[in-house]
Amino acid sequence: MAVLIGAGVVGAFVGVGSTMTTSQGRGAAVALARDAAVATGVQRRRAPQPGDYWGGCHAARAAGTAPIYAGEPGYREDMDGDGDGVACEPIR
């Protein structure tokens, strides 16, 4: 039984590894990882751009630009409620 489970795990890794050898496979894996990072709040959908100005955090979040760090385009102290240099932090 343990041998069958071990073989299944090895097969899964080999299958994933063979997909990663093609540019399409790598691109799909990168897209999946990026989507997961955005969904969990680890990464923004859109980096702040020069000239960004958000009326408030709801707009910045809707644009995928939040959180906004001090020194980045679009950061304003009035959007940083706790004064830690991070505006529009994720709602917990």
Side-chain angles (χ1 to χ4, degrees):
M1 184 68 159
V3 173
L4 292 176
I5 293 172
V9 170
V10 169
F13 280 119
V14 170
V16 169
S18 64
T19 301
M20 296 296 284
T21 60
T22 67
S23 61
Q24 276 185 323
R26 284 188 299 276
V30 167
L32 182 62
R34 184 177 192 288
D35 291 347
V38 168
T40 58
V42 173
Q43 180 178 345
R44 298 179 279 203
R45 276 194 322 265
R46 176 187 174 279
Q49 304 293 314
D52 276 356
Y53 180 88
W54 307 110
C57 288
H58 291 297
R61 287 187 190 103
T65 306
I68 307 168
Y69 300 94
E72 290 184 328
Y75 175 86
R76 294 193 322 272
E77 287 182 5
D78 63 318
M79 293 170 64
D80 184 359
D82 57 6
D84 66 351
V86 182
C88 307
E89 295 169 273
I91 300 170
R92 306 238 182 242

